[in-house]
Amino acid sequence: MKDMPQDALAPRIVARLDALAAISAEAGAITRVYLSPEQARASALVLGWMREAGMSARIDAVGNVIGRIEGPVPGGPALMIGSHLDTVRDAGRFDGPLGVVTGIACVAALMREGVTLPFAIEVVGFADEEGTRFATTLIGSQALTGALAPDVLDRTDADEITVREALHAAGFDPAAIGRAARPAGAILAYLELHIEQGPALERAGLPVGLVTAISGATRLAVTLTGEAGHAGTVAMAGRRDALAGAAACILAVEARCTPEPGLVGTVGTIQVASGAVNVIPGRVGFSLDLRAPEDRQRRIALADLAVTFSEIAEARGLTLERVVTHDAASAPCDPALMARLAEGIVAEGYPVFRLPSGAGHDGMAIAPVAPIAMLFVRCRGGVSHHPDEFASAADIEAGAQVLLATLRRLVADGLSGRPHAT
Ligand code: GLV
Ligand code: MN
Ligand code: MN
């Protein structure tokens, strides 16, 4: 890391990202799913870093790691800085942890400057944003706002372990997760720094960008049931092959989404029940993840695909079951808070480049209860959810300094800022 000033934040941030990346369920890859032993180890590490930065730190009833520095009123409302500590399978090292460790580094720097806080500041490492294990998402941040649907506890992972059972096995009380919910007004505002996970900043030649809104998303678990049979003896005509039906559905998703700007649909998992090389697939489950910047656009596509899936199932003699496992409206960032983040960007000498987020973030869950704003850091090639995910130390430094500059302003002038002379 050459040419970094003495007080640069990136060296420590990068070292901590490396430390977290070493905690994984798989050797040579990064996989840390919700309520896994790896997650517990990562949480313990982050807890220590928060304490080292002068915060009181705890793990809440659903597994979120929360560090806090009190303001003038103990227990009073807090400015929250957050992102997530869980990962997809074979993940990169930046998606999620970057926002948590940068938040800790910025709060530590702010405290070193000896500022007096007009409100509390919290840094949160959310426990489940990716939804990798239970095919849902945002369990950590939804529990924190009190919006977690009770039936999430009945969701199962690939080994048929429910969220309830997994909580219990990880040492949490499933009956007590309501305690993670913060009272109304507890969050003054929410800031999240995250890698872009797309190519816009790289194309613009900029290290940081200001997020305008987070795309809404709907996730489905779809099951097609036909009839299993002998691959050698059952004639092709009249087969009720559930996997061939699923293939038709997957291509229908691609055909529906491809021509429409902004709309993206992905079938990321598929399971053939009792699959074997010489058996006609009788039952197949697959996931669908559908996103668009506009909720109306997503709803229309979802309704269209429901009709298409039914037609495919009917034509092939299959029964169709669809379960919505996640549904989040698009979350606009708060104009006033964006303006404060924009001041931080300008203060660090960068132009304010605005861009939407196609990826989901914990801020989506916070948006109904508090103003949110997000800062993106350029990532190489726009690659994410992949081991090649990369943000340079220089770009991380730029992001951290923007966040720190924004925090200084928020602390000095209050959340809404000084009235500007006209
Ligand atoms: C989270 O990374 C998501 O957008 O799926
Ligand atoms: Mn993320
Ligand atoms: Mn992710």
Side-chain angles (χ1 to χ4, degrees):
M1 259 171 266
K2 51 184 185 335
D3 301 335
M4 284 273 165
Q6 194 96 74
D7 57 352
L9 300 174
R12 172 165 271 197
I13 292 170
V14 170
R16 288 179 169 176
L17 291 174
D18 291 347
L20 284 171
I23 304 176
S24 171
E26 299 166 78
I30 304 171
T31 300
R32 264 194 329 272
V33 303
Y34 184 41
L35 298 173
S36 61
E38 301 75 47
Q39 183 170 57
R41 285 168 53 212
S43 297
L45 206 53
V46 172
L47 212 52
W49 294 336
M50 287 172 167
R51 288 182 180 141
E52 201 183 311
M55 293 181 241
S56 65
R58 65 190 175 94
I59 295 178
D60 75 5
V62 79
N64 298 317
V65 188
I66 303 178
R68 179 176 169 102
I69 297 190
E70 286 297 352
V73 186
L79 168 66
M80 189 174 276
I81 304 161
S83 200
H84 57 100
L85 292 171
D86 67 315
T87 71
V88 294
R89 295 187 199 284
D90 201 9
R93 64 184 59 200
F94 303 87
D95 174 5
L98 176 63
V100 182
V101 298
T102 304
I104 296 170
C106 288
V107 170
L110 200 63
M111 292 300 101
R112 281 196 296 275
E113 291 171 10
V115 298
T116 304
L117 296 181
F119 38 68
I121 296 190
E122 294 192 6
V123 178
V124 182
F126 288 106
D128 171 75
E129 187 272 348
E130 301 286 9
T132 307
R133 180 168 179 187
F134 294 101
T136 175
T137 186
L138 301 172
I139 290 181
S141 40
Q142 286 182 345
L144 190 126
T145 64
L148 191 66
D151 65 358
V152 166
L153 288 175
D154 300 316
R155 291 270 157 74
T156 52
D157 67 8
D159 298 320
E160 300 293 323
I161 296 168
T162 62
V163 173
R164 182 180 283 102
E165 289 163 345
L167 277 164
H168 198 262
F172 296 95
D173 176 1
I177 59 167
R179 289 198 198 133
R182 310 293 286 271
I187 308 170
L188 283 174
Y190 176 83
L191 292 173
E192 182 164 353
L193 176 146
H194 203 285
I195 52 159
E196 183 202 337
Q197 305 178 276
L201 289 172
E202 197 171 64
R203 282 187 194 141
L206 291 171
V208 291
L210 183 64
V211 177
T212 51
I214 308 170
S215 286
T218 302
R219 291 182 182 175
L220 302 182
V222 182
T223 308
L224 287 170
T225 308
E227 192 170 31
H230 196 294
T233 60
V234 180
M236 292 305 290
R239 283 190 182 191
R240 293 166 57 217
D241 182 330
L243 186 54
C249 291
I250 295 167
L251 292 176
V253 171
E254 196 180 50
R256 176 65 183 80
C257 297
T258 303
E260 205 171 299
L263 181 68
V264 284
T266 306
V267 175
T269 68
I270 188 158
Q271 308 85 33
V272 182
S274 312
V277 67
N278 55 352
V279 179
I280 300 164
R283 189 156 53 86
V284 168
F286 65 90
S287 60
L288 172 64
D289 177 307
L290 194 70
R291 309 187 194 202
E294 301 288 334
D295 288 336
R296 193 180 128 75
Q297 185 185 20
R298 187 176 90 261
R299 298 256 168 260
I300 292 171
L302 202 57
D304 287 352
L305 284 171
V307 172
T308 309
F309 286 5
S310 298
E311 286 170 356
I312 290 168
E314 199 180 322
R316 292 173 170 273
L318 308 170
T319 57
L320 170 75
E321 214 190 314
R322 294 162 68 247
V323 177
V324 177
T325 56
H326 169 70
D327 189 65
S330 72
C333 292
D334 178 73
L337 198 58
M338 281 174 69
R340 307 311 310 281
L341 204 42
E343 287 171 23
I345 293 173
V346 171
E348 288 303 307
Y350 304 109
V352 180
F353 181 86
R354 293 177 168 77
L355 72 173
S357 174
H361 300 287
D362 293 292
M364 300 172 92
I366 309 293
V369 303
I372 66 160
M374 285 193 75
L375 183 71
F376 271 170
V377 172
R378 167 168 55 191
C379 75
R380 189 175 60 197
V383 174
S384 182
H385 283 185
H386 189 279
D388 289 346
E389 186 178 277
F390 179 76
S392 71
D395 288 355
I396 290 173
E397 183 64 22
Q401 292 300 338
V402 168
L403 183 59
L404 180 56
T406 305
L407 293 177
R408 283 192 195 109
R409 282 175 157 67
L410 294 174
V411 163
D413 305 343
L415 285 172
S416 49
R418 289 202 177 116
H420 292 278
T422 47

